[in-house]
Amino acid sequence: MSVALTTLGSSLLALQQADSFFPGGAVAWSWGLETLVADARLGTPPAATTGRRQRGLRQDCSEQVRAFVEGQLRHRWNSFDRAFLDAAWQAADELPTLMMLDAQVEALTLAEELRQGSRRVGQSLLGVHVALGTPGAAPYQHQVLAAATPGHLPVVQGLIWRKLGMHREHCHLASAHGLCTGLVSAAVRLGVMGHLDAQRVLTDIQPLLLELQDTAPCTPDDASGFTPMAEIAVMRHETQDLRLFAN
């Protein structure tokens, strides 16, 4: 059974779990951004800024990055990951249901690179919580290590965060905010925007996060994701000569 937390206690846990300082393993993944930058699909300066670029000034690509983040939120996280996070949160005490949800994520994620990324980040997050002694983490890790279930990120998030006592809406916000910070962090490390630009993107995206939060998540049976440019970029990532990220 999960512990009962006050709203303030749940909020504090959500801040900790969504913090980029938390060692969940997501910092190693760009979710297609690296390939898009390498292919000049993102970060390509318009002709009007060519002179500034030649003088060595950083180009502001925050609008392009913001559009990428928004696409991932609307057409992948909200319509797919959130559905399985929510279902796993509700079924945190039901191991067979969690494993069924995990199998659904595996079957519905068509790109192998996305499946691998979701599994590896989910398993990394699970391992951290096993080390921290979070209830429910060790039994589920046992199933993952036995190859009985893949351990996809949204399922692990729903399970672990419910066991910690986080409120449902705080779990959704922590997951979405963690995705956003991971993407803008990748953009900063790829050199297409600065730290202040990244904070502007995170600020500008907040109304969308609140808008999505006001809508009910879809069920796993209705879950879908459609981010073709990002998925193709992820699949092409292994062909890049130089790679900073795992995808």
Side-chain angles (χ1 to χ4, degrees), residues 24 54 69 79 82 104 107 117 127 132 142-143 157 168 173 178 186 193 197 199 239:
Q54 290 174 343
V69 174
S79 61
R82 186 186 181 201
Q104 279 186 272
L132 292 174
H142 177 76
Q143 298 297 325
Q157 287 175 331
R168 182 184 181 194
L173 280 176
M193 66 192 305
D197 296 329
Q199 293 304 315
T239 68

Side-chain angles (χ1 to χ4, degrees), residues 2-19 89 160-175 213:
S2 59
V3 298
L5 288 179
T6 65
T7 299
L8 189 59
S10 175
S11 299
L12 186 58
L13 264 178
L15 289 173
Q16 180 190 13
Q17 298 298 310
D19 195 331
W89 184 90
I160 294 301
W161 292 347
R162 176 66 183 271
K163 290 294 187 178
L164 286 174
M166 283 172 57
H167 297 186
R168 182 184 181 194
E169 64 273 17
H170 293 160
C171 295
H172 294 186
L173 280 176
S175 175
Q213 183 77 2

Side-chain angles (χ1 to χ4, degrees), residues 60-67 69-70 180 184 193 195-207:
D60 180 10
C61 297
S62 56
E63 284 302 313
Q64 296 176 42
V65 174
R66 185 194 183 283
V69 174
E70 180 174 342
C180 294
V184 297
M193 66 192 305
H195 290 281
L196 290 179
D197 296 329
Q199 293 304 315
R200 292 188 183 99
V201 170
L202 291 176
T203 299
D204 291 345
I205 213 75
Q206 286 177 3

Side-chain angles (χ1 to χ4, degrees), residues 46 56 85 118 121 169 222 224 232:
L85 162 66
S118 179
V121 179
E169 64 273 17
D222 292 327
S224 64
I232 292 170

Side-chain angles (χ1 to χ4, degrees), residues 86-106:
D86 190 73
W89 184 90
Q90 297 185 62
D93 295 320
E94 304 166 19
L95 181 60
T97 302
L98 292 170
M99 294 173 66
M100 181 190 69
L101 292 170
D102 229 348
Q104 279 186 272
V105 176
E106 180 80 8

